[in-house]
């Protein structure tokens, strides 16, 4: 059998984009995919609509990248959000920009993204070998030589001139990404930054189940670790059967989860009325008490009905109805609306976390080429590396930019090797 020039491990967003970039430069590419289909994770992105990227310019875009946006600058400039849109439109997937500069396929179907990508790869001569789980990457004297994989219970070996690890992280393991890339890296002596779930639900210490599917819009949320406020966000908070989610719940989850893992005390302070100060809120409440002395009914003018019982039971004082307007109670309620403190006891793990924070350490990789510093013919792309973004299309752009850069650079290396062997 003809030796493959480039083997890519993983047919996710990063692996497929890497394959497209390498095939464009005339390299023969084989993708090994352990699942029965490509892009299992892409199919569930953006609630089935796939938020492909975000049109913000680098200055704003970079504020949504963690932990080191300057590392990502190189791959982003090699293949930017604009390049992503142009690429997808060139392969027949029209895109549309929505609220928050988020880009989606015009068809609103994540499956179309996968179908267009796999169709493009097929026409570019890329082979995707399904149900093929890579078990080992073999090196000799610091050069990657071979990939060992399992298919149908049998072990096979495939030689390659270069290999790209695009195996994803640990989140949603049912889609195929269950941490194999980290095992390969460890065996090759490549260091990792500790992984943890991110963009995930935080579990407060009260019964949040009655609040399931409640969405609070335009609220403020402050994250406290110990006594220090470390992050403040404004936007949408959602209660689900897993706890607190929504855009701002997810935004604070990265630091909150890390602090919980470090056994630090984590709490959130919710501001239900960020546009009004406490004194004005208190005098408005006091005035309303003149016409309605039933607190539950009165609160329905200030918050969704679904929230009222949980809100009242969270306030230390007990009051359900009044005989007369009460300044102390108005103050107490106003304070609680402005600063509802929730202790966070736990978080949802990888089974439903959108992203994995941590991964292949950035100082193991040359950002301009996405190549390993230890192995000149080993490349990395996508969620497997220690880069993650907020919600809004940033994570797929990380996969596309790093995938494209790795694929392009692997193809340059392969061409160079070919040229030197024919001299
Ligand atoms: C529910 C959900 C919604 C999301 N929505 C969005 C969104 O709208 N916009 C956005 O930007 N981001 C979104 N994300 C994040 C985004 O999907 C990921 O960051 C991105 O898909 C990562 O791409 P990847 O190619 O690095 O990894 P993956 O997509 O995880 O692909 C890795 C591939 O490698 C394969 N693989 C793993 N190990 C092996 C092995 N040993 N041998 C062979 N194959 C292997 C896996 O089967 C998988 O196909 C979402 C994530 C989730 C979970």
């Amino acid at each position: 059998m003809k030796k493959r020039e480039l083997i890519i491990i993983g047919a996710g967003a990063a692996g497929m984009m890497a394959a497209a970039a390498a095939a464009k430069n005339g390299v023969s590419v084989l993708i090994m995919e352990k699942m029965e289909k490509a892009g299992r994770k892409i199919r569930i992105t953006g609630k089935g609509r796939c938020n492909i990227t975000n049109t913000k310019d680098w200055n704003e875009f970079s504020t949504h990248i963690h932990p080191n946006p300057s590392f990502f600058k190189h791959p982003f400039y090699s293949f930017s959000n604009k390049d992503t849109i142009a690429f997808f439109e060139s392969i027949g997937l029209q895109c549309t920009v929505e609220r928050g500069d988020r880009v989606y396929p015009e068809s609103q179907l994540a499956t179309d993204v996968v179908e267009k990508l796999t169709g493009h790869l097929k026409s570019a001569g890329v082979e995707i070998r399904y149900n093929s789980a890579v078990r080992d990457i073999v090196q000799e004297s610091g050069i990657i030589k071979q990939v060992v994989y399992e298919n149908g219970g049998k072990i096979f070996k495939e030689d390659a001139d270069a290999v790209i690890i695009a195996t994803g992280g640990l989140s949603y393991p049912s889609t195929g990404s269950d941490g194999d890339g980290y095992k390969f890296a460890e065996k090759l002596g490549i260091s990792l930054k500790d992984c943890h779930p991110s963009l995930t639900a935080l579990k407060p210490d009260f019964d949040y189940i009655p609040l399931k599917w409640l969405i609070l819009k335009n609220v403020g949320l402050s994250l406290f670790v110990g006594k220090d406020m470390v992050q403040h966000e404004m936007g949408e908070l959602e209660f689900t059967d897993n706890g607190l989610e929504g855009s701002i719940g997810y935004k604070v989850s990265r630091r909150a989860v890390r602090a919980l893992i470090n056994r630090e005390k984590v709490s959130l302070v919710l501001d239900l009325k960020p546009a009004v100060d406490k004194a004005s809120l208190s005098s408005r409440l006091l005035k309303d008490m003149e016409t309605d002395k039933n607190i539950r009914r009165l609160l329905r003018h200030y918050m969704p009905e679904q929230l009222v019982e949980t809100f009242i039971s969270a306030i230390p004082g007990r009051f359900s109805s009044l005989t007369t307007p009460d300044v102390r109670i108005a103050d107490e309620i106003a304070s609680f609306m402005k600063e509802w403190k929730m202790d966070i006891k736990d978080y949802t793990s990888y089974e439903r976390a959108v992203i994995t924070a941590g991964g292949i350490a950035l100082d193991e990789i040359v950002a301009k080429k996405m190549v390993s510093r230890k192995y000149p013919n080993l490349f990395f792309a996508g969620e497997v590396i220690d880069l993650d973004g907020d919600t809004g299309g940033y994570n797929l752009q990380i996969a596309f930019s790093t995938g494209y850069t790795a694929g392009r650079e692997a193809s340059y290396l392969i061409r160079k090797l070919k040229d030197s062997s024919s001299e």
Side-chain angles (χ1 to χ4, degrees):
M1 190 191 288
K2 184 175 162 287
K3 178 181 164 189
R4 285 297 176 155
E5 290 169 320
L6 175 62
I7 292 181
I8 298 172
I9 312 172
M16 287 197 278
M17 188 56 87
K24 193 172 85 177
N25 288 340
V27 161
S28 88
V29 184
L30 168 65
I31 307 184
M32 297 285 187
E33 171 51 56
K34 66 153 66 149
M35 303 303 277
E36 74 299 345
K37 288 194 230 184
R40 285 278 304 261
K41 188 169 281 173
I42 298 176
R43 293 169 200 268
I44 59 165
T45 53
K47 298 190 171 137
R49 298 199 301 133
C50 187
N51 179 190
I52 299 171
T53 185
N54 193 294
T55 59
K56 288 186 175 55
D57 66 19
W58 171 251
N59 284 343
E60 243 194 291
F61 198 106
S62 59
T63 64
H64 297 276
I65 304 295
H66 316 286
N68 183 352
S70 55
F71 177 95
F72 184 57
K73 192 170 183 176
H74 295 289
F76 182 85
Y77 273 90
S78 289
F79 193 78
S80 70
N81 44 2
K82 290 198 181 84
D83 296 320
T84 297
I85 297 168
F87 168 79
F88 279 109
E89 299 209 331
S90 77
I91 63 168
L93 187 91
Q94 293 312 305
C95 298
T96 175
V97 183
E98 297 189 10
R99 189 172 57 96
D101 306 319
R102 293 165 184 243
V103 180
Y104 291 87
E106 214 167 65
S107 66
Q108 305 283 312
L109 290 172
T111 48
D112 282 357
V113 177
V114 182
E115 262 139 47
K116 291 292 178 196
L117 263 172
T118 49
H120 173 72
L121 294 183
K122 196 170 174 197
S123 61
V126 173
E127 182 193 349
I128 307 182
R129 205 167 286 170
Y130 294 105
N131 300 308
S132 300
V134 172
R135 298 289 180 222
D136 197 11
I137 299 174
V138 181
Q139 64 95 16
E140 262 174 48
S141 313
I143 302 293
I144 303 297
K145 293 284 181 195
Q146 197 178 59
V147 159
V148 180
Y149 69 101
E150 188 178 335
N151 183 312
K154 290 195 183 123
I155 295 291
F156 299 89
K157 291 172 180 174
E158 190 90 36
D159 292 345
D161 292 326
V163 169
I164 300 178
I165 298 180
T167 44
L170 286 156
S171 55
Y172 275 75
S174 54
T175 63
S177 48
D178 52 8
D180 282 351
Y182 308 133
K183 292 180 201 150
F184 302 144
E186 270 183 330
K187 197 186 155 229
L188 291 167
I190 294 166
S191 59
L192 301 173
K193 280 273 178 253
D194 285 348
C195 293
H196 65 79
S198 187
L199 306 185
T200 195
L202 298 174
K203 296 178 189 294
D205 68 346
F206 60 83
D207 180 15
Y208 50 85
I209 297 299
L211 304 180
K212 193 171 154 184
W213 310 135
L214 171 68
I215 295 176
L216 301 173
K217 293 195 168 152
N218 303 320
V219 292
L221 193 68
S222 304
L223 170 67
F224 283 76
V225 176
K227 289 194 171 67
D228 301 327
M229 188 182 81
V230 296
Q231 197 173 347
H232 178 75
E233 301 294 341
M234 286 278 300
E236 200 171 284
L237 188 67
E238 186 176 356
F239 289 87
T240 69
D241 48 350
N242 275 321
L244 289 159
E245 300 189 40
S247 65
I248 56 174
Y250 276 166
K251 260 192 162 170
V252 298
S253 69
R254 192 178 196 284
R255 286 168 103 153
V257 170
R258 210 173 46 220
L260 287 166
I261 290 170
N262 292 338
R263 298 181 182 282
E264 291 172 286
K265 188 170 161 37
V266 174
S267 46
L268 294 174
V269 174
L270 174 62
D271 182 352
L272 289 166
K273 299 282 170 204
V276 191
D277 65 55
K278 196 155 74 186
S280 321
L281 199 55
S282 176
S283 49
R284 226 171 87 190
L285 278 159
L286 196 63
K287 194 158 175 287
D288 286 352
M289 283 172 183
E290 284 167 15
T291 48
D292 196 343
K293 304 209 168 32
N294 181 306
I295 299 277
R296 281 183 171 73
R297 203 164 47 219
L298 189 138
L299 284 177
R300 285 183 214 148
H301 300 291
Y302 290 82
M303 62 187 71
E305 196 174 339
Q306 197 185 346
L307 188 60
V308 171
E309 275 313 315
T310 310
F311 178 81
I312 288 182
S313 57
I315 305 181
R318 284 278 161 266
F319 33 77
S320 51
S321 56
L322 307 161
T323 47
T324 172
D326 186 319
V327 182
R328 185 190 59 81
I329 293 179
D331 269 353
E332 217 172 315
I333 294 175
S335 301
F336 220 74
M337 277 189 203
K338 293 292 295 172
E339 290 177 6
W340 179 355
K341 183 166 175 275
M342 304 170 177
D343 287 333
I344 300 299
K345 58 177 174 32
D346 204 358
Y347 58 89
T348 298
S349 195
Y350 292 116
E351 72 278 5
R352 258 182 71 179
V354 172
I355 199 89
T356 306
I360 310 282
L362 298 181
D363 55 14
E364 293 278 1
I365 306 169
V366 181
K368 277 186 184 155
K369 299 185 172 186
M370 295 309 296
V371 69
S372 159
R373 289 192 188 277
K374 287 203 172 82
Y375 301 92
N377 62 342
L378 180 65
F379 299 78
F380 301 98
E383 199 175 320
V384 71
I385 62 180
D386 179 22
L387 270 185
D388 55 279
D390 295 331
T391 54
Y394 303 102
N395 285 299
L396 280 172
Q397 187 59 49
I398 291 175
F400 295 139
S401 295
T402 56
Y404 181 90
T405 307
R408 182 194 62 194
E409 294 299 324
S411 71
Y412 290 166
L413 175 75
I414 289 163
R415 283 214 310 238
K416 219 161 90 185
L417 291 172
K418 259 186 182 167
D419 290 349
S420 60
S421 68
S422 62
E423 270 165 14

